[in-house]
Amino acid sequence: MFEQLIAEPHFVEAHRRSVPATPLEAYEALQRITLAQMPIARKLFAIRGLISPGGLVSDPERPLLAQMAQQGFAVLVDEPDREFAIGAIGQPW
């Protein structure tokens, strides 16, 4: 996947985790997840100031990906049974 996004990246970090779900179930869950369902991530977003009326997330009850899309993140790869990647250009802090 990385090669199709950036031909020669200076740094690559990848994480994997097995989950008891089919790829399609995991993809659908990703589309629905909210920060209200992820207490640790919600605290981290709050520390960075990303949860606020002017921040990345204004409503912890709305799907996170939908809010990120409204803030300028773009879907880079969308293959529901294989991989999904989003990205944005900018200074995040």
Side-chain angles (χ1 to χ4, degrees):
M1 176 183 82
F2 295 107
E3 299 80 23
Q4 71 190 57
L5 300 175
I6 301 173
E8 296 180 30
H10 294 283
F11 179 77
V12 173
E13 182 175 350
H15 301 271
R16 288 182 175 82
R17 182 173 193 139
S18 295
V19 295
T22 67
L24 188 56
E25 290 169 336
Y27 176 85
E28 289 171 352
L30 175 66
Q31 302 301 313
R32 293 189 311 266
I33 192 121
T34 69
L35 278 184
Q37 296 169 298
M38 301 183 291
I40 294 172
R42 185 175 180 179
K43 287 185 189 310
L44 293 172
F45 270 58
I47 289 168
R48 292 289 301 272
L50 298 174
I51 299 177
S52 67
L56 176 65
V57 177
S58 59
D59 181 358
E61 300 292 333
R62 284 188 52 231
L64 180 58
L65 287 179
Q67 293 185 73
M68 293 174 77
Q70 287 180 328
Q71 294 296 327
F73 281 76
V75 174
L76 305 173
V77 178
D78 191 352
E79 298 177 24
D81 60 339
R82 189 165 187 279
E83 59 192 359
F84 179 82
I86 61 171
I89 296 174
Q91 186 173 357
W93 53 84

